[in-house]
Amino acid sequence: KNQVEQSPQSLIILEGKNCTLQCNYTVSPFSNLRWYKQDTGRGPVSLTIMTFSENTKSNGRYTATLDADTKQSSLHITASQLSDSASYICVVSRYGNKLVFGAGTILRVKS
Amino acid sequence: GAGVSQSPSNKVTEKGKDVELRCDPISGHTALYWYRQSLGQGLEFLIYFQGNSAPDKSGLPSDRFSAERTGGSVSTLTIQRTQQEDSAVYLCASSWFGGAADTQYFGPGTRLTVL
């Protein structure tokens, strides 16, 4: 079954600290993996996209990693800011443009 | 440039009524998607339009759900005889070509509450 599982479900960190969100998937055939950020009451916004051959991709303070062998990805946020408080969604694309979404990790950054 | 817009932003309806949700994609995007996001759940794919091709309706949960895309632009998602389990945020997204590597740009969603 094509699934994307994310952990933790929710996370609270202090402003300025780093954190890492996890994503495990069983989607096949794999095309690419994306991380989206979704602010409360808004649609998701793409942060990174990685294909099979890419191990890491950065977007500012966000760094995503991908291990296609173990089917795991992580999103590392450096020097967190209050504006990073959001839901982070891992999305795996199958060939044929079928997207499988994780349930998301809710991150709260507090001062 | 304008992003994907959706209307209404919130809709409260009574069980059994029909509702129409509207999506205006980014101008020039040929692909349009509808998703449903229930509380604590991942996004659920509903339907996909690509150009003039027949839409991929494989995600529609029942025959009470239908969608149209007129003139290759605006799309309307219709839910007939709404049920309480239809309560969710309905998100629309568009992309340039609809390919697997294409980034989908999401609208703000319509929050549907069925009483």
Side-chain angles (χ1 to χ4, degrees), chain B residues 55-88:
Chain B
D56 177 354
K57 304 179 182 180
S58 60
L60 294 178
S62 78
D63 59 8
R64 296 186 296 106
F65 288 73
S66 63
E68 289 184 340
R69 189 178 185 195
T70 54
S73 181
V74 172
S75 177
T76 302
L77 177 69
T78 301
I79 309 173
Q80 296 177 308
R81 305 181 303 281
T82 52
Q83 303 294 313
Q84 288 182 331
E85 61 262 28
D86 298 335
S87 296

Side-chain angles (χ1 to χ4, degrees), chain B:
Chain B
V4 177
S5 61
Q6 293 186 244
S7 61
S9 55
N10 279 285
K11 176 73 176 178
V12 180
T13 189
E14 292 179 347
K15 179 181 171 182
K17 301 285 189 183
D18 298 352
V19 295
E20 282 190 354
L21 313 180
R22 178 187 168 106
C23 171
D24 281 272
I26 293 173
S27 178
H29 280 193
T30 63
L32 186 147
Y33 308 77
W34 281 100
Y35 296 93
R36 179 168 69 175
Q37 187 174 35
S38 302
L39 190 64
Q41 305 289 319
L43 274 75
E44 175 188 4
F45 166 78
L46 296 177
I47 188 168
Y48 162 55
F49 295 91
Q50 170 54 51
N52 296 321
S53 303
D56 177 354
K57 304 179 182 180
S58 60
L60 294 178
S62 78
D63 59 8
R64 296 186 296 106
F65 288 73
S66 63
E68 289 184 340
R69 189 178 185 195
T70 54
S73 181
V74 172
S75 177
T76 302
L77 177 69
T78 301
I79 309 173
Q80 296 177 308
R81 305 181 303 281
T82 52
Q83 303 294 313
Q84 288 182 331
E85 61 262 28
D86 298 335
S87 296
V89 175
Y90 289 81
L91 288 160
C92 173
S94 70
S95 68
W96 282 109
F97 304 112
D102 247 9
T103 294
Q104 294 182 24
Y105 296 85
F106 284 81
T110 293
R111 180 175 296 279
L112 174 66
T113 303
V114 182
L115 301 177

Side-chain angles (χ1 to χ4, degrees), chain A residues 3-16:
Chain A
Q3 287 185 316
V4 175
E5 295 184 353
Q6 293 187 241
S7 62
Q9 211 168 30
S10 62
L11 182 62
I12 302 174
I13 62 172
L14 290 175
E15 187 178 13

